[in-house]
Amino acid sequence: MQHDHGLTVTLQPDAAGPRVLVVTGDLDHHTTPRLRAALEEVPFAPGVDLVIDLSGLTFCDSTGIATLVAAHQRAHDAGGALLLAGLEQDIARVFHIMGLDQLLAFYDSPEEAVRAVKDRRESTA
């Protein structure tokens, strides 16, 4: 399988909800540093949640998976949450086979993940 190693990572402004990081393209050992750099810009803290919109992700290798797991751990340790949204079915299957659906929060769409964060915030307020 050949990949052009293109990856776009865009952090959307915080509009009274969780931040949304949109990831588009191939996430592999060549492009993971772009995602890692964007994740380092997120100031995880209690109540700081991040939705990663992966609906445009076309490929993800073990390096990308490790980066997402590390980001989840960083968010969790800081009292925040990291939610993954929009994974393509074949990529989601890999996460499931690896048992990551037991560790990470997956949502069908970014909108559903944002709603889940808002609902959780309202229930604890």
Side-chain angles (χ1 to χ4, degrees), residues 28-107:
D28 60 23
H29 68 281
H30 295 289
T31 60
T32 296
R34 283 180 231 160
L35 176 59
R36 196 174 300 122
L39 288 166
E40 288 172 4
E41 297 293 319
V42 178
F44 287 114
V48 176
D49 302 312
L50 177 68
V51 172
I52 302 181
D53 177 358
L54 299 171
S55 57
L57 190 68
T58 54
F59 177 81
C60 185
D61 73 2
S62 60
T63 311
I65 291 170
T67 299
L68 293 170
V69 170
H72 161 78
Q73 191 61 50
R74 187 173 147 241
H76 181 268
D77 290 348
L82 183 132
L83 299 83
L84 304 180
L87 268 178
E88 187 268 335
Q89 186 176 4
D90 288 337
I91 296 173
R93 188 169 158 260
V94 171
F95 279 74
H96 177 74
I97 289 169
M98 295 177 70
L100 293 174
D101 56 331
Q102 302 300 310
L103 174 68
L104 304 170
F106 294 95
Y107 294 86

